[in-house]
């Protein structure tokens, strides 16, 4: 089995304002995910503190992204 994933300590991050919802104060944590051939992928997870305006804005932003039609590009192939 590969090397275990490494977690970096959570940090505060003031993200840039999203045009659709405004400013977001987010906590994030980054994980290194070892893959084959000595490649490592970085997975970053963002969360908002429960009960804050940032949580409401993040939920709204997620719902807007989920309901927006996917853009089709000429290189897209049906699966």
């Amino acid at each position: 089995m590969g090397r275990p994933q490494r977690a970096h300590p959570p940090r505060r991050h003031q993200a840039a304002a999203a045009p659709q919802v405004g400013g977001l104060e987010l906590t994030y944590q980054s994980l290194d995910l070892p893959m084959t051939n000595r490649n490592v992928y970085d997975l970053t997870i963002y969360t908002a503190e429960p009960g804050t305006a940032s949580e409401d804005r993040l939920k709204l932003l997620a719902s807007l992204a989920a309901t927006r039609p996917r853009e089709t590009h000429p290189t897209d192939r049906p699966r």
Side-chain angles (χ1 to χ4, degrees):
M1 189 146 221
R3 295 172 296 170
Q5 58 191 358
R6 293 184 306 159
H8 302 283
R11 295 184 276 173
R12 298 292 291 168
H13 173 73
Q14 176 64 47
Q20 301 89 338
V21 298
L24 297 165
E25 175 101 13
L26 302 172
T27 301
Y28 68 92
Q29 184 168 6
S30 195
L31 299 172
D32 291 336
L33 303 175
M35 305 303 275
T36 59
N37 300 325
R38 300 184 344 169
N39 291 326
V40 176
Y41 290 91
D42 181 59
L43 173 66
T44 304
I45 303 165
Y46 291 89
T47 58
E49 291 293 324
T52 64
S54 288
E55 180 189 37
D56 294 338
R57 291 175 184 161
L58 188 59
K59 287 178 180 178
L60 177 57
L61 190 60
S63 72
L64 291 172
T67 58
R68 192 171 92 196
R70 183 174 178 266
E71 294 180 22
T72 304
H73 299 284
T75 59
D76 288 349
R77 297 182 190 150
R79 295 177 190 227

